[in-house]
Amino acid sequence: MIVVMSGEATADDVRGVVDRLHELGLQENISSGAELTVIGAIGHIIPEYEEMFSRLPGVVEVVRVTKNYKLSSREFQHVDTVVDVGGVKIGGASSVVIAGQCSVDSEELALSTARAVKAAGAHILRGGAYKPRTSPYAFRGLGEEGLKILAAARQETGLPVVTEVLSQQDVEAVAGLADMLQIGARNAQNYALLEEVARSGKPILLKRGMSSQVEEWLLAAEYILNQGNKQVVLCERGIRTFETATRFTLDVNAIPLAKELSHLPVIGDPSHGTGRWSLVEPVARAIIAAGADGIIVEVHPSPDHALSDGAQSLTFENFAKLMTNVGRVAASVDRPLATG
Ligand code: PEP
Ligand code: MN
């Protein structure tokens, strides 16, 4: 059960609700947003409580939430959340494309990638400075130097920047520069990190863990929302299945399902979802056709020389083609690519 307080509710009104919860042996979880305070009731809830709490001063609505995830559920919020990333809206009337290198490798290559994706119509620049690598001997990113390069790319192109954060100790540095923080598949259930990035107040791109069920993914989002940060975008990036012909199996089902179960925007990642550049465009089209709010795609000036994920990275030319063809699909489902 969630008790929504009105914008005019006083601290005494909030205390009144909390005291009543305690009398009933329940715990509270308070999220104070810019406009509303929302009190989640934790414990054994019986239907009679809805009526009881709706009569308390300052209460505007009592919502019964049957799912394990609460704040991220459609039951809790019917209208779609729109996430603002440096002025680019994800979850609105148009589809958004995030593109760039898997890992930032040099200023020259990163800047040329930023220029190329901008020229092709991308809306947000991606690039990893802190890379989660399966092997500790692989290239693990340029760290702070990579962040500075991304800042220079934003300065030149005007594209907002999303970049991954791997550990709690890096959150401050990354949040100081990026417009959006990415939680990668490998950290999708790192709950301490989820709470720390949430507290940065920045929009969060939350990848689905490669072995996470949809409910676990939404519960991961719940950790962020529960800290009072509502700016979360879900990203389907492929899951582990018995199939080894592709790197992962992009779960198209999860896109409309997540949108049905949650009000949060959902995007898809055809690069990690397939692991092969030749499959990226067709799967990108499928993602948009399935109702996603956007895609995130890896691009490199010379994929053969990329320090990570070259096999799934598009050349500038192939990315420009993808933009044209994905743009057609987006228009046909009445979610045209955002312009400007
Ligand atoms: C990435 O975006 O480069 C990345 C590492 O993604 P994921 O966490 O989905 O593997
Ligand atoms: Mn990658």
Side-chain angles (χ1 to χ4, degrees), residues 72 83 85 90-91 96-99 124 126 162 164 180-189 194 203-222 224 231-240 248-259 262-274 283-284 287-288 291-298 312:
S72 52
V83 173
V85 183
I90 308 183
V96 167
V97 177
I98 304 173
I124 297 173
R126 64 150 289 151
V162 58
E164 180 164 354
M180 181 181 223
L181 307 187
Q182 176 173 323
I183 293 292
R186 290 157 190 81
N187 270 315
Q189 290 181 295
L194 291 171
I204 309 297
L205 178 59
L206 176 62
K207 297 258 193 136
R208 177 182 178 184
M210 61 184 83
S211 301
S212 289
Q213 295 176 335
V214 169
E215 180 169 290
E216 292 168 324
W217 184 26
L218 295 175
L219 282 165
E222 194 77 12
I224 302 169
Q231 297 280 288
V232 178
V233 175
L234 300 168
C235 178
E236 162 57 40
R237 51 76 70 204
I239 53 173
R240 277 255 158 90
F248 293 99
T249 298
L250 189 112
D251 181 7
V252 173
N253 296 357
I255 293 167
L257 180 59
K259 288 197 67 83
S262 176
H263 52 85
L264 296 172
V266 179
I267 68 168
D269 177 345
S271 304
H272 295 87
T274 63
V283 174
I287 289 167
I288 295 297
D293 299 288
I295 52 173
I296 177 166
V297 178
E298 289 183 340
Q312 66 195 35

Side-chain angles (χ1 to χ4, degrees), residues 39 87 91 159 168 268 286 330:
I39 305 172
L159 292 175
Q168 284 158 266

Side-chain angles (χ1 to χ4, degrees), residues 16-324:
V17 170
V18 171
D19 287 348
R20 182 64 63 88
L21 289 172
H22 291 174
E23 282 163 33
L24 296 168
L26 302 172
Q27 293 298 308
E28 78 283 7
N29 189 342
I30 305 182
S31 314
S32 302
E35 283 151 36
L36 292 178
T37 295
V38 170
I39 305 172
I42 303 158
H44 182 62
I45 314 277
I46 57 171
E48 288 74 12
Y49 292 166
E50 283 170 52
E51 165 81 32
M52 180 195 292
F53 279 88
S54 63
R55 286 199 305 263
L56 294 181
V59 173
V60 72
E61 198 185 0
V62 179
V63 188
R64 180 118 179 263
V65 180
T66 55
K67 301 284 195 300
N68 286 331
Y69 44 91
K70 309 285 180 194
L71 305 172
S72 52
S73 74
R74 271 272 176 221
E75 289 172 316
F76 175 65
Q77 182 183 310
H78 295 289
V79 291
D80 287 339
T81 286
V82 177
V83 173
D84 188 312
V85 183
V88 175
K89 297 204 171 6
I90 308 183
S94 12
S95 304
V96 167
V97 177
I98 304 173
Q101 294 183 303
C102 174
S103 48
V104 173
D105 45 9
S106 76
E107 176 148 6
E108 189 195 334
L109 296 180
L111 285 178
S112 76
T113 305
R115 286 181 207 119
V117 301
K118 162 94 180 177
H123 309 100
I124 297 173
L125 180 67
R126 64 150 289 151
Y130 298 89
K131 294 303 299 179
R133 302 307 300 277
T134 303
S135 162
Y137 308 120
F139 175 65
R140 291 161 71 179
L142 297 178
E144 278 196 45
E145 192 193 333
L147 294 179
K148 286 185 194 140
I149 293 174
L150 287 168
R154 175 180 48 203
Q155 172 78 15
E156 189 184 317
T157 60
L159 292 175
V161 164
V162 58
T163 193
E164 180 164 354
V165 56
L166 282 189
S167 77
Q168 284 158 266
Q169 78 228 25
D170 296 329
V171 171
E172 206 180 318
V174 179
L177 176 130
D179 299 283
M180 181 181 223
L181 307 187
Q182 176 173 323
I183 293 292
R186 290 157 190 81
N187 270 315
Q189 290 181 295
N190 180 342
Y191 301 120
L193 181 62
L194 291 171
E195 292 190 329
E196 191 68 28
V197 293
R199 287 192 286 265
S200 75
K202 290 280 176 178
I204 309 297
L205 178 59
L206 176 62
K207 297 258 193 136
R208 177 182 178 184
M210 61 184 83
S211 301
S212 289
Q213 295 176 335
V214 169
E215 180 169 290
E216 292 168 324
W217 184 26
L218 295 175
L219 282 165
E222 194 77 12
Y223 271 89
I224 302 169
L225 297 171
N226 188 35
Q227 293 296 313
N229 185 340
K230 294 186 66 186
Q231 297 280 288
V232 178
V233 175
L234 300 168
C235 178
E236 162 57 40
R237 51 76 70 204
I239 53 173
R240 277 255 158 90
T241 68
F242 59 82
E243 182 57 80
T244 53
T246 49
R247 187 178 178 196
F248 293 99
T249 298
L250 189 112
D251 181 7
V252 173
N253 296 357
I255 293 167
L257 180 59
K259 288 197 67 83
E260 200 172 290
L261 297 174
S262 176
H263 52 85
L264 296 172
V266 179
I267 68 168
D269 177 345
S271 304
H272 295 87
T274 63
R276 295 186 189 212
W277 73 265
S278 62
L279 305 181
V280 168
E281 189 205 302
V283 174
R285 287 190 257 117
I287 289 167
I288 295 297
D293 299 288
I295 52 173
I296 177 166
V297 178
E298 289 183 340
V299 178
H300 194 278
S302 172
D304 289 348
H305 294 95
L307 296 180
S308 59
D309 289 350
Q312 66 195 35
S313 296
L314 298 182
T315 59
F316 296 165
E317 193 188 346
N318 285 330
F319 178 67
K321 269 192 220 146
L322 172 145
M323 288 300 284
T324 305

